[in-house]
Amino acid sequence: MQQILLRFSAALIMTVVSVFQMQAQVDTTTPTSADPKLTAWKTSRIPKEYTVAAVNITGVRHLDTSIVYSITNINPGDKFMHPGSDIFGKSIANLWRQKLFSNVQIYVTRVDDDRVWIEVSVQERPRLGNFKFVGPKKTEAEELQTKINLVKQTIITENTRREIIEKTTKFYTDKAYRNVTVRIEEKPDTSFANSSEIIIYVDKGGKVKIDNVRFYGNDNVDDFRLKKQLKGTKEMGKMTLNPVYQASPYGTDKPFSFSQWLKEWGFLSLSKTKRLLDPWFRFKLSGAKFEQTKYEEDREKLLDYYNSLGYRDVQIVEDTLLTINKTGNINVDIKVDEGRKYYFGNITWKGNAKYTDSTLNNILGISKGDVYNLSALNRRLGKEASQEGGDISGLYMDDGYLFFRAEPVETAVYNDTIDYEIRITEGPQARIKNVTIAGNEKTKDHVIRRELRTIPGELFSRSDLIRSQRELANLQFFNQETINPGVVPNAEDGTVDINWKLEEKSSDQLELSAGWGGGIGLTGTLGVTFNNFSIKNIFKKASWDPLPTGDGQKLSLRYQSNGVAFRSLNFSFTEPWLGGKKRNSFTIGVNSSKFSNAFNQFGQIDRARSDTNYLKTTGLSIALGKQLKWPDDYFNLVYTLNFTQYKLMNYPIFDENFRSGISNNISAKIAIQRSSVFDPIFPRSGSSFMASVQFTPPYSLINKSITNSNNKYKNPEYHKWRFNAEWYVPLGKPMGADKNRQFVLKLAAKYGFMGRYNNKLDYSPFERFQVGDAGLTNNFGLLGYDIIAHRGYPVYQNSNPSINPEDQQNANQFFTIFNKYQVELRFPLVTNPSSTIYALTFFEAANGWYSYKDYNPFRLRRSVGVGMRFYLPMFGLLGFDYGVGLDRMNSANPGLKAASRFTFMLGFEPE
């Protein structure tokens, strides 16, 4: 009762004070008036009814007088009692509420019998004119403007000034400036009426950095592991001995000096030794600024980490920021109470009719006695979103149970053990009702629908939904970050609608480049690739905008020339869905090139020689691909038929005995490949495998007269085997606002060898392997050589292949067998529809051999280096690498410069 009376008394006092303040602004007479009627009005104590005769608004300069009049809400003819009426107080309250005025007063200027004349005097608040920041950088000022959101000609209020100071201070505090001072100066702005210019002076001071992060109370988890969880709270860069004891605001421990460390070395307990050696010395990261927002996030990460170790009762008892006077930096001291470590007890299931308890237990993967981890439990139940599957929710949802729910409930906590009951609501199986597509302005609906596994009438499947999303992304027609399936469940009829929302991006590529080398001088290249072409609309004029597109076909044209010595023309067309019903691809390619020895003995171009000394190639290839269902539908089988004709005129590319003539290289190729790679531009997970065999007819077995004479070049024979394997493994947790910045480890291996049908014949001069450099096609590509990149090693070194320079006898014949292994660590810098940029570091080991008797899989040439990749939709993939050939460093070539090599690549590395 006493508390109620106190609250009532406080409210009454506040009301009286408010009324007094409001009435203090109501002067019922003008200050200079000597009218006896006004004096009588002011001193009257007997209530009397008066009528408002007129209302006059004064002090308004820029506002509309009628607006002020309506806000005042005092009109001629209004009647009121005086004293006793609060008509003026309400009017003043209405005017103040608009926040348009810095002063409001109401006067009674005249009294005649029962009629009064009223004057409402206001003083308008100034409006915001120009404004500027003094102190911040230009970019900071622009960012501050967006945060404060200052708009010219808005009313300047106390709230405006307060927001400027608070938001500016917070802006710099979040950037580790904890000693920010903000001062606002106002002065009349003559460029606007009734306006003030605001000048915001900012002194951000110096950045506050973290000198030490120290933990106390962590008896079971060492400092090193705890500091790893603090991603945004790092210590300053310096090398320090990791002490056993440190000064603490929570205790009396003394610093453990280096001399004490030496003295006590042999007498340390096991726990102290672990702290001392984990690690002996630590290097603190430089630039460790303190940001309050990141620190709050790190506190939560610290608790989550403890929870994952079974310490679900952990608390941060106290955290203190101690300022170091000499440097102005801080120590972050965190005291924790770890609590007890818990373990999982019995896990039972309730409500599961579809699957047995044993099946669910196997998929859950948590057994009695495992360390308690609620996050892992939720993840295995599928309560945390994941595209990898393999959880309880995925098991049900892949069988149509879209309305499935699983709730873990603690049923008992005893000592250090927690029992759980998983309560399942299976619900009905949902079938797909409607599938809609939006956002595809160029791409036809049938191109999209044939990639979808979400088919009306089929049971809903989460894995099919994820696979459909990946297939759409692999088309490279759409921005993969915005592909949204839009799942809309209909609980009433047990169905689900899927509304695909897409955002198209440019997928066509233009290649326009020039290069110098290859013994032919300056060469220009012009190439175009249309990745979403429509050949059936090629004769429809209305479809040329600027080209017929939308059917998902690929058309590529590429022309290279330096005028006389070299020219090359390549054309290819791919239909990925031949017939439109199954994923059976069809590809046809045509190429023609001419390589001339157009230089005379003086190194000058002789056009007459280009017609009498040349190598011409004409090729045709047809490929048919088929998607397999077994072992899974990631497999594809591709059949290819190749024909290449080589015409030589005074051009002894093979040997002096075959200077002029024609060679016909006819071969077939069978390749089986499997790819589960998502996003071919920057794969984050998945793998890719390819095994192939390419062979010609065994001419020498059919015609015994073929020997190592000129006949062996007319119809070359061989069989060539290739195997490629690539794995992409994500490392760590995704970073950045879009969760796309993550380290990815690429592991790759390549093998290849060429065989012959007849041991009496040499290996075919065609289709061999060339190892070295960046893998770009050169003049030996005319002979069908597989160009195997090996960064850090050139293809030639002193006229000999640099991979195996010791073999002088076969120096110009290149390899019939090769091995290559690769480890590459990648990190994306930019991932958006307009460009993808990532940095990499690599280790490679490769080598080639001329015959099987020389083959040694352990004799490899190693290289290391760094590189960058730039993917622009218009130009494709560009790459720059700096590689160091470790086995090129010897006494003859000492130093890094002689062993290093800068390489450039265009497009994806050839298989």
Side-chain angles (χ1 to χ4, degrees):
M1 184 66 182
Q2 186 178 2
Q3 291 181 352
I4 296 175
L5 290 174
L6 288 173
R7 292 178 182 175
F8 177 76
S9 301
L12 181 62
I13 293 171
M14 293 177 64
T15 303
V16 172
V17 171
S18 301
V19 170
F20 176 77
Q21 289 178 342
M22 186 174 293
Q23 294 296 331
Q25 301 172 78
V26 181
D27 190 352
T28 56
T29 62
T30 56
T32 58
S33 174
D35 188 342
K37 293 183 178 181
L38 291 176
T39 303
W41 156 274
K42 185 175 182 179
T43 59
S44 174
R45 294 293 181 266
I46 302 173
K48 179 182 177 180
E49 185 179 64
Y50 290 88
T51 303
V52 178
V55 179
N56 184 31
I57 307 295
T58 62
V60 177
R61 297 183 178 182
H62 307 286
L63 294 172
D64 191 336
T65 304
S66 62
I67 295 177
V68 180
Y69 186 84
S70 64
I71 296 172
T72 304
N73 199 25
I74 301 177
N75 303 304
D78 289 351
K79 297 181 182 298
F80 64 97
M81 297 295 293
H82 177 74
S85 174
D86 194 26
I87 183 174
F88 298 144
K90 291 180 179 179
S91 298
I92 290 174
N94 289 340
L95 291 169
W96 276 118
R97 197 175 294 118
Q98 309 307 313
K99 298 181 180 180
L100 298 174
F101 311 103
S102 58
N103 189 20
V104 177
Q105 290 187 347
I106 297 180
Y107 302 109
V108 175
T109 59
R110 179 183 172 189
V111 178
D112 188 359
D113 293 333
D114 62 349
R115 295 189 302 160
V116 295
W117 281 256
I118 297 174
E119 177 184 335
V120 179
S121 177
V122 297
Q123 181 179 347
E124 295 181 23
R125 290 184 185 273
R127 294 177 177 271
L128 179 61
N130 292 309
F131 58 88
K132 64 179 179 179
F133 293 89
V134 177
K137 299 177 182 178
K138 182 179 179 181
T139 54
E140 293 176 340
E142 292 173 351
E143 194 171 350
L144 277 170
Q145 160 61 13
T146 60
K147 290 183 177 296
I148 300 174
N149 195 26
L150 293 175
V151 180
K152 292 183 179 181
Q153 292 304 288
T154 55
I155 303 297
I156 300 175
T157 64
E158 288 302 321
N159 186 57
T160 304
R161 300 180 182 93
R162 184 171 58 254
E163 279 198 353
I164 291 174
I165 294 175
E166 290 178 354
K167 291 185 177 181
T168 302
T169 302
K170 184 179 185 304
F171 174 78
Y172 283 105
T173 301
D174 290 344
K175 294 180 178 291
Y177 297 94
R178 298 178 61 83
N179 301 312
V180 184
T181 57
V182 183
R183 181 171 60 87
I184 298 176
E185 180 181 314
E186 296 182 40
K187 61 182 181 179
D189 191 339
T190 57
S191 56
F192 299 94
N194 188 38
S195 299
S196 294
E197 179 184 5
I198 289 184
I199 304 174
I200 306 167
Y201 294 91
V202 180
D203 181 6
K204 58 187 179 182
K207 281 188 176 182
V208 176
K209 296 184 178 180
I210 303 171
D211 197 53
N212 291 290
V213 177
R214 303 179 296 197
F215 292 94
Y216 303 93
N218 54 317
D219 299 325
N220 299 294
V221 185
D222 58 65
D223 291 7
F224 180 73
R225 287 195 291 167
L226 293 180
K227 289 179 182 180
K228 286 180 64 177
Q229 312 310 313
L230 307 180
K231 305 300 182 182
T233 308
K234 300 293 184 181
E235 298 170 314
M236 286 180 58
K238 60 182 180 181
M239 185 72 75
T240 60
L241 180 67
N242 189 6
V244 176
Y245 296 106
Q246 299 191 49
S248 166
Y250 310 115
T252 58
D253 296 339
K254 297 180 180 180
F256 200 76
S257 67
F258 182 70
S259 60
Q260 289 174 311
W261 182 82
L262 293 175
K263 184 184 300 184
E264 300 289 335
W265 168 244
F267 307 95
L268 297 176
S269 67
L270 181 62
S271 61
K272 292 180 180 179
T273 304
K274 186 178 187 305
R275 290 183 60 187
L276 191 66
L277 298 178
D278 193 17
W280 285 359
F281 293 90
R282 63 180 179 224
F283 184 76
K284 302 178 183 178
L285 299 176
S286 60
K289 59 185 180 181
F290 179 83
E291 299 183 28
Q292 187 67 36
T293 303
K294 291 185 177 180
Y295 176 63
E296 295 297 331
E297 294 174 356
D298 285 342
R299 280 169 49 96
E300 297 302 319
K301 292 177 181 177
L302 191 66
L303 295 176
D304 290 342
Y305 177 66
Y306 260 112
N307 289 336
S308 69
L309 299 178
Y311 299 94
R312 75 166 191 167
D313 297 332
V314 66
Q315 293 180 347
I316 295 179
V317 180
E318 188 176 357
D319 55 343
T320 305
L321 307 179
L322 300 176
T323 302
I324 302 174
N325 295 328
K326 293 183 180 180
T327 63
N329 298 329
I330 63 173
N331 285 336
V332 179
D333 294 320
I334 302 174
K335 184 178 181 181
V336 299
D337 180 4
E338 294 178 330
R340 171 178 286 177
K341 187 172 184 177
Y342 288 88
Y343 300 87
F344 281 110
N346 296 314
I347 298 178
T348 58
W349 302 87
K350 183 178 181 180
N352 52 310
K354 175 70 175 179
Y355 299 102
T356 63
D357 290 3
S358 59
T359 300
L360 297 179
N361 282 327
N362 288 334
I363 296 176
L364 185 66
I366 297 177
S367 303
K368 183 177 182 179
D370 288 352
V371 173
Y372 175 81
N373 186 341
L374 182 59
S375 177
L377 176 62
N378 288 329
R379 186 169 57 252
R380 299 303 301 163
L381 288 175
K383 297 178 69 65
E384 298 179 4
S386 173
Q387 290 195 351
E388 301 304 321
D391 50 50
I392 301 296
S393 178
L395 176 69
Y396 274 92
M397 287 193 176
D398 285 347
D399 198 23
Y401 291 92
L402 176 62
F403 306 101
F404 165 84
R405 298 290 181 271
E407 295 297 332
V409 178
E410 292 184 9
T411 56
V413 179
Y414 46 96
N415 297 326
D416 60 354
T417 303
I418 302 174
D419 289 346
Y420 266 96
E421 180 180 82
I422 313 298
R423 298 175 182 175
I424 290 179
T425 303
E426 294 180 342
Q429 288 179 299
R431 292 192 177 272
I432 300 173
K433 186 176 182 181
N434 299 311
V435 177
T436 63
I437 301 170
N440 53 318
E441 298 178 358
K442 293 182 179 180
T443 308
K444 307 290 177 51
D445 277 7
H446 75 272
V447 174
I448 300 172
R449 290 190 181 276
R450 68 193 186 190
E451 302 292 340
L452 300 180
R453 295 165 183 259
T454 54
I455 302 172
E458 297 289 334
L459 286 174
F460 175 83
S461 171
R462 189 178 73 172
S463 61
D464 284 347
L465 193 73
I466 295 172
R467 180 70 180 274
S468 298
Q469 191 171 0
R470 291 185 173 184
E471 296 293 351
L472 290 176
N474 285 338
L475 289 175
Q476 297 298 310
F477 302 159
F478 310 105
N479 176 10
Q480 67 173 15
E481 304 298 335
T482 59
I483 297 176
N484 182 10
V487 178
V488 182
N490 306 311
E492 294 79 9
D493 58 0
T495 62
V496 58
D497 293 339
I498 301 178
N499 304 316
W500 290 95
K501 293 183 180 180
L502 308 173
E503 177 187 342
E504 287 188 316
K505 67 176 184 178
S506 175
S507 59
D508 299 331
Q509 297 173 5
L510 171 67
E511 179 185 356
L512 183 61
S513 62
W516 181 275
I520 56 176
L522 183 66
T523 302
T525 301
L526 174 62
V528 290
T529 301
F530 306 105
N531 289 303
N532 194 4
F533 194 69
S534 176
I535 197 169
K536 72 177 183 180
N537 293 323
I538 197 168
F539 297 110
K540 296 180 181 179
K541 185 178 180 181
S543 300
W544 287 73
D545 185 28
L547 289 168
T549 59
D551 281 334
Q553 299 160 343
K554 182 177 180 180
L555 179 68
S556 178
L557 290 166
R558 191 169 187 263
Y559 181 74
Q560 290 181 286
S561 177
N562 79 333
V564 177
F566 173 72
R567 61 128 180 100
S568 175
L569 177 65
N570 293 271
F571 164 84
S572 68
F573 171 80
T574 299
E575 167 56 75
W577 286 71
L578 186 62
K581 294 183 179 180
K582 294 184 179 181
R583 195 189 295 268
N584 297 329
S585 63
F586 170 78
T587 300
I588 183 170
V590 179
N591 65 83
S592 175
S593 61
K594 179 181 179 182
F595 197 93
S596 305
N597 185 7
F599 299 92
N600 58 26
Q601 65 268 30
F602 303 106
Q604 299 173 338
I605 293 179
D606 185 347
R607 294 185 178 273
R609 286 179 58 87
S610 67
D611 295 328
T612 57
N613 298 264
Y614 61 80
L615 165 64
K616 285 184 179 180
T617 65
T618 303
L620 172 67
S621 65
I622 299 175
L624 290 173
K626 179 181 180 181
Q627 185 182 34
L628 303 179
K629 299 297 182 181
W630 185 88
D632 59 38
D633 57 5
Y634 287 107
F635 279 87
N636 286 277
L637 186 63
V638 182
Y639 306 91
T640 307
L641 181 63
N642 299 288
F643 169 76
T644 305
Q645 184 182 80
Y646 301 89
K647 184 176 181 181
L648 286 73
M649 177 65 72
N650 295 320
Y651 202 92
I653 190 171
F654 303 120
D655 60 40
E656 289 294 334
N657 296 323
F658 188 62
R659 301 178 60 89
S660 299
I662 295 177
S663 289
N664 294 315
N665 185 0
I666 302 175
S667 65
K669 182 178 179 180
I670 302 175
I672 185 168
Q673 53 195 31
R674 183 188 188 276
S675 177
S676 60
V677 172
F678 174 50
D679 183 13
I681 306 302
F682 184 76
R684 294 177 174 84
S685 61
S687 59
S688 177
F689 301 92
M690 190 277 294
S692 68
V693 56
Q694 182 178 353
F695 54 92
T696 65
Y699 300 108
S700 64
L701 300 182
I702 299 172
N703 184 358
K704 303 295 185 179
S705 63
I706 297 179
T707 60
N708 279 330
S709 62
N710 290 351
N711 290 331
K712 69 177 182 179
Y713 298 117
K714 292 183 179 180
N715 293 291
E717 62 177 34
Y718 59 86
H719 51 92
K720 183 167 71 172
W721 304 77
R722 289 290 308 272
F723 175 76
N724 296 343
E726 294 178 349
W727 295 267
Y728 298 92
V729 182
L731 302 179
K733 296 182 179 179
M735 296 175 281
D738 54 0
K739 300 297 183 183
N740 280 333
R741 303 183 65 185
Q742 183 177 21
F743 283 101
V744 175
L745 182 67
K746 175 188 176 182
L747 305 173
K750 293 185 177 183
Y751 305 93
F753 67 93
M754 172 184 284
R756 50 186 175 178
Y757 299 110
N758 192 338
N759 293 332
K760 297 180 180 179
L761 297 180
D762 292 335
Y763 289 102
S764 168
F766 302 98
E767 303 289 345
R768 291 197 178 193
F769 306 109
Q770 186 184 75
V771 183
D773 222 351
L776 292 176
T777 301
N778 50 44
N779 57 321
F780 284 94
L782 300 176
L783 301 180
Y785 281 21
D786 287 359
I787 313 297
I788 311 301
H790 191 193
R791 293 164 288 189
Y793 290 88
V795 176
Y796 290 103
Q797 181 178 349
N798 298 326
S799 300
N800 293 325
S802 66
I803 292 293
N804 237 333
E806 296 88 347
D807 193 340
Q808 301 294 327
Q809 180 179 357
N810 301 294
N812 294 317
Q813 295 184 22
F814 293 101
F815 309 121
T816 61
I817 185 171
F818 84 94
N819 288 358
K820 178 184 175 181
Y821 306 94
Q822 179 184 33
V823 179
E824 194 170 275
L825 183 64
R826 302 175 171 184
F827 185 77
L829 304 176
V830 177
T831 56
N832 56 52
S834 59
S835 63
T836 298
I837 303 174
Y838 62 89
L840 61 89
T841 181
F842 65 87
F843 170 80
E844 291 182 346
N847 211 343
W849 295 265
Y850 301 105
S851 63
Y852 294 105
K853 67 179 181 180
D854 300 323
Y855 177 63
N856 184 350
F858 302 104
R859 183 188 174 199
L860 301 172
R861 305 287 176 163
R862 301 157 297 169
S863 66
V864 296
V866 295
M868 293 285 292
R869 296 291 182 270
F870 305 83
Y871 179 82
L872 304 174
M874 192 64 183
F875 299 98
L877 186 66
L878 308 177
F880 303 90
D881 294 296
Y882 179 79
V884 179
L886 301 179
D887 293 289
R888 295 175 64 197
M889 302 174 67
N890 50 47
S891 58
N893 294 309
L896 186 66
K897 184 177 180 180
S900 61
R901 185 171 181 83
F902 181 82
T903 55
F904 166 76
M905 64 169 291
L906 182 64
F908 294 93
E909 183 179 345
E911 294 185 351

